[in-house]
Every structure is written in C-alpha cells, then in structure tokens.
Amino acid sequence: MILPMKKYSMLVHHADFEQFLDDLQNLGMVDVADRGVEPDAATQQKIELLRQYDRTIKFLSAKIQEGEGSTADTDLSAQEILDKISAMQVEIDDNRQKGASLEKLYRILRPWGNFDRAMFDKLEANGFKLRFYVANQRKYKPEWAEQYNLEVISETDGQVYFVIVDTGKEAIEIEAEEVRTPERAASGVIAEREKLEERATEISNYFSNYASAFVPKLTAARNELLDQINFSNVVQNSASEADDQLRILQGWVPNQKVVAVDEFLKQHDLFFLTENPVKGEKVPILLKNGNFSKLFEPISNLYSLPKYGEMDLVPFFAPFFMMFFGFCLGDAGYGLLFIIGATIAKPRVGGMMKRILTLAQWLGVATIIFGALTGTFFGLNLIEMYDEGSVSWLAGVREYMLESDKMFYLALLLGAIQILYGMVIKVINLTRQYGFQYALSTIGWILLIIGGAVLFMVHSDNNQQLFTILLYILLGVSGILILFMNNPGKNVFINFGGGLWDVYSMVTGVMGDLLSYIRLFALGVSSGILGYVFNDLASQMSGSIPVVSQIIFLVILLIGHGLNIFMASLGAFVHPLRLTFVEFYKNAGFQGGGKPYRPFMKKKEAASENLI
C-alpha cells in the first residue's frame, strides 16, 4: 500500500538556515519539495564529479579479486586515486589505439623482414638507391633478376616483395608497384607492441591489486560529495522572504514519522505548518507491503510507481505474476533447480540480492506446481509415459494432470480472471480518487460480463422464459450504466457518444487482452517440447561405446537443458511482465507517474547508486 504523507512548511531565520539544514539532513525523514530550480554552476561541477566517482567505483568494483590485495597506495586521497585511475584509463585507451596502429604497420612491414634503416642511407650516400617493389606472383617475371640488381625479399599472400639496387645508369621499367622505403623494421614494431602489452598488464594488475583498498575510500568520498550536492539543492529550492531574512522550506513526511519530525522542529523553536496533500500535488510515494508482496516491488518499479491517491497494485498482481511465470516455464524439474540454487546462494548474499533469491524460490514453487499439472519433469512427458504403461506409479495423480488442450483453456481462464479482477480494482480506484459515480460505467461492464457468463451457464430449455427476462434486465441495467454514466456531470448526449466509443474500445480491447494470455500456453508448451527434443537427441547420440556414450549423453543433456532453462526463464519473466503492465494495469485503470520518497539525509551506507 501507499503510506499517507503530510506536507510541512517550515519558516527559518536566514542566520540559522544552514545549521538547521545540517540537522535536518542528519534526521533524514523529510523529502524536501522540489521547486524546479536548476542547480547553479558550482553544483553542476559537483554533479559531474559525482558521475566520475560513480564510473570509477563501478570500474574498480569489477576488478576486485579475492583476498585483501595490496595496501601500499592507500595513503592516497580520494581525489588523488580518482585522478590516477582516470589517467591510467586514458593511457590504456591511448595504448589501445597505438597498438591498433602498430598492428596495421606490422602487416605492412612484415613482408620486408628485418633490416637496418641506417644502411639504406649509407648506400644512397654512395650512389646506390634501394627501390622497393610489390608484384602479383602471376605477373612477376624471373628475368627481371637478370636485367637488374634485384633481390626477392619474400613471397606473402600471393604477392612478391623485392628490391632493386638503382645505380642511376639505366631506367627501371617493370610491371610492378613501387612502394615507399620502409621507415623501420618489423622487429622494431613487435618490440614496441610488446612494451605496450607489458604496460597494459602492469596497469591491469595495479587495478586488481588496489581495487579492494580504493573502492571504500572512493565510496566514502562519493557519499560525502552527494551529501553536499543534496544540501546545495535544498538551499536552492527554498524560498526567500522578508528581504532574504527568512527562508521557507517545504517537504513531505510519512505519517508514521510525523511525531519525530514535530519533536525535532519544536526543539529548533521553528514555526511550521502541516497539511494533508491536495488533489494534483506531486506527492512522493513510499510503499509498504507484506513480506510476500514486497518481493515484487522491484518488478513494479520497472514500469512506474503509482501516483498518490491511487492503489498500489503490487499485492494484486504478485500472485498472478508468480502463476504466470510457473505456467510459462512449466517444468517441475526446472522449478526444483530454481529452489535449490536460490536456497544455496541466499546465505552468501545480503540486501536486495537476498530478496531476489527469495523471489526466485517462490517462482520455483509455482513452476513445480504447473510442471506437475502438465506432467513435465526435465522434458519428460509423464502423461504420455503413464498412458504407454511405463510409469505405473502415477496412477493416483494422473487424473489431476492437464493435457495441452486443457492448458490452453486454463490460460484463457486465468486471463479472464485477471482482467475482471483488474476491473474490480479499477472500480475501487475510481471510487477512492473521484467518487462512486465515476465507477458506475466500469460496474456496468462487470455486471454485463459476469452476469452474462452466469446466465449462459445456468441456461437450459426448462428456464428459457426466465433466462430471457433476466437477460433483458441485465442488458438494460448494464447498458444504462455503460452508455449514460461514463462521464458524470456531462449532458446525456456526450455521455451517450462517449458510451458508444467505450463499447467499441472495450469489446475490441478485452478480446485482444484475453487472446494475449494464450502466450502462457504457447511458452509452456515450447519449453516442454524443447526439453523433450534435447532428451531425445541425447539418447540418439549416446551410441554404444562404454563411458564415452555416457559422457556424450550427459554433455548434450547439460548443454541442451541449460540453454532451454535460460531461454524459457527469460520468456517466463518477460511475457508475464507484459501481461501485468499492459493487460492488467490497463484494465485496473493504473495511471502511475509517482516519484519515490527520497528523504533529505546523509549517505551513510557504501553504495555506488547515483541518487541525483
């Protein structure tokens, strides 16, 4: 759910303002209202420096090795570390470009072998000039060696590389391309390239050795800088009154922290006002959900936070998302791997990662359930095996397993339930935000869909007359709500026109939304088929050679099922995500656009996330 907020307006004397802000930052409970003031030049420079810290911390964090590493350079200040790492990164980029140029130069010089460039100058000083030529092997003529002082240096890639000693006594006329005299030998290029590689290794080792010592120091400096930026932003977002003698600061506080903030302000002997948010204000959002629903908050944040006043949909889509994931993955063996892997990894991590692994365990449970319903275990179709008589122990549970045609209808049924569930939530949402009259049109659709379904289920030849009467009543009541109650406060003609458009949009939209849930069935079936294919391929490729056959069998199974788990898990996450954000959110009337609650506080924990 969304925690209610109180709006605070605080009046502070200008002489006490900075000290008050410092104490308020230590308190860490007030989300200061943003007046849209752009940061000044000094703050902009700090923000750019903060980004540089973030990039460097992220870079070094990837270099941290196991163990403590060296601490010889830990006496450097954070700014010195930042400058040194930045200079080394620039050097790496420059050396990489130089290496690429040297590689290109080496390919040009390699056919000419090793030589002393000074020898060419001595020969030319004595009247002997070396001229360098390249000719295609098919065009090269051996008789050229009889006509001129010619020496073949190498034959590479279909080309002949040769030199002619020109004494100036005769003109050289041959069908070959003359090239410039090489400035250096290939061996010199190799030596220079090796030096660049040695320097690159040296820099890389430096990063690895000192990363574990540098990251905490950089993080502490980064957090201190972030506090300064936040402080400056708050100062600039306060309003000046009474010839700059007074400062007015506004902010938001969750209701459960109001008592502590009130006590803090009274200790500072400040005049302040509190009020409830009014419609249209940009109120920060702070969610509070139970242990299960909280696991799905990162998923909802991928789309948008709800706006203040509407319902938090996390608790409502969480069970569906879990079911849909299990439906799409649909293999009990894969679900078992999810649970085992997450259970083993959880004690080794903390924070957000532990919550993600807990979510993976729940998703694994859902996968096992739907895998059991479809009778799929690591690609083995237990239903077919039972029908063939090879798995007799399934006799007690076979009747609970659903074949593919039944899974198809189950996917549509789950879709219909979620769509109707979303419409009920929309009724509650509209009633809370605008009033019950704004929800009447949606109530009409719910009555029409549910009532129509119930009537057709109980309809028979014996109650035809009663069925007709109830159907007309249902169509009349729902029709009035849909066609004339969709725009409260507007005249009847606008309502009727809007109602007709709503009918068209609803019929086409709901049908399209419902058909979208077929993807659950399609992904679940494809996952099972791919698992079966890899099993069959492994059995066919295993052969009859002892030991080798078993190795081939295991390799194909591991690689095949590994790929299938990766692809199926990706699809099992993405497609329920789409069904949630498109079909469910739309039918629930979700508006979103809320901004997160970010209290003005000092950054105490080591983190590389930029909160600006």
Side-chain angles (χ1 to χ4, degrees):
M1 68 173 184
I2 300 174
L3 292 180
M5 291 279 177
K6 285 283 187 183
K7 183 179 180 180
Y8 276 72
S9 298
M10 297 160 277
L11 193 63
V12 189
H13 191 268
H14 75 95
D16 304 324
F17 190 59
E18 289 198 2
Q19 181 59 51
F20 168 73
L21 288 186
D22 187 64
D23 294 340
L24 188 68
Q25 195 173 23
N26 286 323
L27 180 67
M29 294 183 182
V30 181
D31 187 336
V32 177
D34 186 1
R35 295 173 57 236
V37 178
E38 290 294 326
D40 57 21
T43 305
Q44 289 283 10
Q45 291 179 352
K46 289 181 179 180
I47 291 174
E48 183 55 41
L49 181 59
L50 181 69
R51 291 172 180 150
Q52 189 177 357
Y53 270 113
D54 287 339
R55 290 193 297 267
T56 305
I57 291 171
K58 183 178 180 180
F59 172 77
L60 289 177
S61 296
K63 301 289 183 181
I64 294 178
Q65 297 178 336
E66 293 185 2
E68 297 182 358
S70 176
T71 58
D73 258 0
T74 52
D75 57 336
L76 295 175
S77 67
Q79 186 61 53
E80 289 172 335
I81 294 172
L82 193 66
D83 293 340
K84 188 169 185 177
I85 298 301
S86 298
M88 285 184 168
Q89 289 176 315
V90 171
E91 184 180 356
I92 288 176
D93 291 337
D94 290 343
N95 289 348
R96 189 177 292 114
Q97 294 178 6
K98 290 179 182 178
S101 299
L102 290 173
E103 180 64 28
K104 183 178 179 180
L105 181 60
Y106 174 72
R107 288 196 296 268
I108 296 173
L109 296 177
R110 183 181 59 180
W112 300 110
N114 294 322
F115 53 82
D116 184 0
R117 185 65 178 79
M119 179 186 66
F120 298 166
D121 298 332
K122 289 181 181 180
L123 288 172
E124 190 168 349
N126 288 281
F128 300 97
K129 181 180 180 180
L130 293 181
R131 299 175 66 174
F132 293 74
Y133 292 89
V134 179
N136 189 281
Q137 284 181 337
R138 291 176 295 180
K139 294 183 178 181
Y140 177 78
K141 298 178 181 179
E143 55 265 28
W144 292 346
E146 299 175 2
Q147 298 175 12
Y148 308 105
N149 295 319
L150 183 150
E151 183 68 30
V152 175
I153 304 302
S154 66
E155 296 184 19
T156 307
D157 299 328
Q159 303 289 326
V160 179
Y161 296 81
F162 59 94
V163 296
I164 296 177
V165 181
D166 184 7
T167 60
K169 296 180 180 180
E170 56 182 343
I172 301 175
E173 297 179 357
I174 57 176
E175 294 182 6
E177 177 188 1
E178 185 173 5
V179 297
R180 293 177 57 185
T181 303
E183 294 294 330
R184 56 196 301 192
S187 58
V189 175
I190 293 175
E192 186 175 350
R193 191 174 62 182
E194 288 176 349
K195 287 182 180 180
L196 292 179
E197 292 174 352
E198 289 175 3
R199 178 57 180 160
T201 302
E202 181 183 339
I203 293 175
S204 179
N205 291 337
Y206 182 84
F207 290 152
S208 300
N209 291 336
Y210 295 110
S212 58
F214 287 168
V215 168
K217 184 171 287 190
L218 290 174
T219 303
R222 180 258 182 204
N223 292 339
E224 184 178 349
L225 180 63
L226 178 59
D227 291 339
Q228 296 173 13
I229 294 171
N230 289 336
F231 192 94
S232 299
N233 284 337
V234 170
V235 171
Q236 294 170 46
N237 277 281
S238 62
S240 298
E241 298 292 343
D243 295 329
D244 294 334
Q245 294 299 305
L246 296 176
R247 291 277 190 149
I248 298 177
L249 192 68
Q250 292 184 323
W252 300 94
V253 178
N255 277 5
Q256 72 268 32
K257 296 182 180 181
V258 163
V259 175
V261 174
D262 286 351
E263 183 65 27
F264 167 81
L265 295 176
K266 289 176 183 177
Q267 289 176 0
H268 282 74
D269 197 22
L270 294 182
F271 176 79
F272 65 95
L273 296 174
T274 61
E275 54 186 324
N276 292 321
V278 298
K279 187 176 180 180
E281 282 191 297
K282 196 73 172 178
V283 185
I285 304 300
L286 179 62
L287 301 180
K288 183 179 180 181
N289 289 301
N291 292 333
F292 175 74
S293 299
K294 195 175 186 66
L295 299 175
F296 294 83
E297 286 182 5
I299 295 176
S300 69
N301 293 340
L302 294 174
Y303 186 75
S304 173
L305 286 171
K307 76 172 187 178
Y308 193 80
E310 70 175 329
M311 296 177 64
D312 173 24
L313 298 186
V314 172
F316 302 103
F317 81 72
F320 284 98
F321 187 92
M322 190 178 81
M323 282 193 298
F324 293 163
F325 183 94
F327 205 129
C328 291
L329 194 54
D331 188 296
Y334 295 170
L336 187 61
L337 286 182
F338 265 68
I339 295 176
I340 294 173
T343 303
I344 293 174
K346 272 181 67 174
R348 296 170 171 80
V349 298
M352 178 61 71
M353 196 62 200
K354 185 179 287 289
R355 287 171 56 187
I356 292 175
L357 291 174
T358 303
L359 175 61
Q361 289 177 312
W362 280 104
L363 297 179
V365 170
T367 305
I368 289 177
I369 292 173
F370 278 89
L373 282 175
T374 59
T376 308
F377 187 82
F378 286 113
L380 299 174
N381 191 322
L382 301 182
I383 295 178
E384 291 184 0
M385 294 173 67
Y386 173 79
D387 293 340
E388 294 170 357
S390 57
V391 187
S392 57
W393 53 269
L394 289 175
V397 295
R398 170 64 180 88
E399 61 180 300
Y400 301 106
M401 294 183 181
L402 304 179
E403 297 181 358
S404 59
D405 56 338
K406 295 180 180 178
M407 293 300 292
F408 175 84
Y409 292 115
L410 177 61
L412 291 178
L413 177 62
L414 289 176
I417 292 173
Q418 190 182 40
I419 289 173
L420 286 170
Y421 188 47
M423 294 172 69
V424 171
I425 293 173
K426 184 178 180 179
V427 169
I428 301 172
N429 234 336
L430 292 173
T431 302
R432 289 178 53 179
Q433 294 183 75
Y434 308 107
F436 181 71
Q437 66 273 24
Y438 286 87
L440 290 174
S441 178
T442 305
I443 292 175
W445 282 109
I446 295 174
L447 287 175
L448 181 62
I449 294 172
I450 297 179
V454 171
L455 284 178
F456 278 99
M457 282 192 296
V458 300
H459 171 249
S460 66
D461 294 336
N462 296 330
N463 59 8
Q464 180 63 42
Q465 187 175 1
L466 178 62
F467 169 79
T468 303
I469 296 172
L470 293 177
L471 180 60
Y472 282 131
I473 293 174
L474 177 63
L475 291 174
V477 173
S478 59
I480 291 173
L481 295 176
I482 293 170
L483 295 175
F484 299 101
M485 299 294 181
N486 53 82
N487 286 305
K490 301 292 179 67
N491 66 56
V492 66
F493 299 106
I494 293 177
N495 270 298
F496 184 72
L500 289 178
W501 176 253
D502 190 31
V503 169
Y504 170 76
S505 301
M506 196 70 173
V507 171
T508 57
V510 168
M511 287 303 298
D513 292 344
L514 188 59
L515 292 176
S516 293
Y517 288 84
I518 295 176
R519 70 184 70 237
L520 299 174
F521 162 77
L523 286 169
V525 170
S526 63
S527 172
I529 290 175
L530 280 175
Y532 172 80
V533 168
F534 287 122
N535 289 342
D536 187 58
L537 181 63
S539 63
Q540 292 181 17
M541 297 293 291
S542 60
S544 58
I545 305 174
V547 181
V548 176
S549 300
Q550 286 75 10
I551 293 175
I552 294 174
F553 179 79
L554 289 175
V555 167
I556 294 176
L557 284 182
L558 290 174
I559 295 176
H561 282 290
L563 289 172
N564 194 27
I565 290 173
F566 172 75
M567 293 186 295
S569 299
L570 186 62
F573 181 81
V574 170
H575 291 287
L577 204 66
R578 182 197 179 280
L579 292 174
T580 298
F581 293 156
V582 178
E583 277 72 27
F584 179 65
Y585 271 28
K586 179 182 70 175
N587 287 288
F590 181 79
Q591 295 177 329
K595 68 167 188 174
Y597 166 72
R598 287 180 174 172
F600 177 50
M601 63 186 300
K602 290 190 175 180
K603 189 71 174 173
K604 299 176 182 179
E605 297 180 358
S608 59
E609 179 189 3
N610 192 346
L611 299 179
I612 297 298

